[in-house]
Amino acid sequence: MSLLIREVPATDIPMELLLLADPSETRVRTYLSVSRCFVASSGGTVVGACVVQPRGTDAHELMAIAVHPAHQQSGYGLRLLKWVIEFFRNAGARQLEVGTGTFGYQLAFYQRHGFRVTSIDHDFFLKNYPEPIFEDGIQIFDMLRLTLRY
Ligand SMILES: CC(C)(COP(=O)(O)OP(=O)(O)OC[C@H]1O[C@@H](n2cnc3c(N)ncnc32)[C@H](O)[C@@H]1OP(=O)(O)O)[C@@H](O)C(=O)NCCC(=O)NCCS
């Protein structure tokens, strides 16, 4: 299925999609207004979204990437990630960072496309979220920080 990916104003990005990647709406709202937002549509329906925040002159951080549950595991997330990597490469970025949990399929998702682990933020999810966060029934405490160097 064809996928149209485009940059949109922060007001046009569906919050329910971003909450799949970052469960705190308060946190999402703090970075949304200072980030660049992208949506992926298939057949006129928004199926995925991603938010990227500038970090200095030539670095950026992928703050959230998500595909609607009804459309997951159809290759859209991968296409959106690759598109965003190329978008910032063409914009002259030297690196793209992302923070994620210490286990789960998301780790392979990023590392398969060139992201390498650069540090661990211990207790990040404990300190920054009001509710415990679970993945596969296991509570996530620490954030792994990964970096793609262009
Ligand atoms: C992460 C996410 C954006 C991936 O998008 P997607 O469209 O489902 O992924 P794709 O179909 O492009 O698949 C990409 C890879 O992830 C794997 N994958 C995706 N969902 C998976 C799942 N639930 N379980 C195991 N593997 C999964 C695919 O098998 C594929 O692996 P491969 O490259 O080895 O073939 C999507 O699953 C999502 O929105 N998850 C919830 C939000 C989230 O966790 N965001 C990331 C925050 S760090």
Side-chain angles (χ1 to χ4, degrees), residues 16-22 40 47-51 64-69 72 77 80:
E16 68 272 18
L17 276 183
L18 301 182
L19 292 176
L20 296 170
D22 186 338
V47 294
C50 116
V51 176
I65 180 166
V67 168
H68 190 284
Q72 286 178 8
L80 180 56

Side-chain angles (χ1 to χ4, degrees), residues 5-150:
I5 300 171
R6 65 199 159 91
E7 187 166 9
V8 295
T11 46
D12 288 5
I13 197 158
M15 178 59 73
E16 68 272 18
L17 276 183
L18 301 182
L19 292 176
L20 296 170
D22 186 338
S24 166
E25 185 166 344
T26 308
R27 279 184 55 81
V28 172
R29 292 206 181 279
T30 60
Y31 56 70
L32 207 47
S33 57
V34 290
S35 298
R36 297 182 72 171
C37 302
F38 305 89
V39 294
S41 312
S42 177
T45 304
V46 172
V47 294
C50 116
V51 176
V52 179
Q53 185 176 348
R55 291 267 184 248
T57 50
D58 51 13
H60 301 268
E61 179 171 352
L62 182 59
M63 304 302 291
I65 180 166
V67 168
H68 190 284
H71 299 279
Q72 286 178 8
Q73 299 198 65
S74 306
Y76 292 147
L78 182 57
R79 286 160 72 183
L80 180 56
L81 180 67
K82 283 175 151 178
W83 190 94
V84 165
I85 289 171
E86 289 313 309
F87 181 90
F88 285 97
R89 186 198 303 278
N90 294 334
R94 279 200 311 142
Q95 66 181 52
L96 185 61
E97 298 167 24
V98 67
T100 188
T102 48
F103 57 90
Y105 68 91
Q106 294 91 340
L107 260 185
F109 176 68
Y110 294 124
Q111 293 190 66
R112 209 183 294 288
H113 298 285
F115 287 82
R116 301 273 304 271
V117 175
T118 37
S119 62
I120 303 173
D121 201 336
H122 288 281
D123 286 334
F124 177 89
F125 293 105
L126 207 56
K127 291 175 188 160
N128 291 281
Y129 291 85
E131 303 291 336
I133 301 174
F134 290 87
E135 176 94 28
D136 293 335
I138 306 167
Q139 187 172 356
I140 302 177
F141 295 102
D142 310 311
M143 174 186 270
L144 273 189
R145 298 204 58 84
L146 294 92
T147 303
L148 171 78
R149 297 191 203 285
Y150 286 106

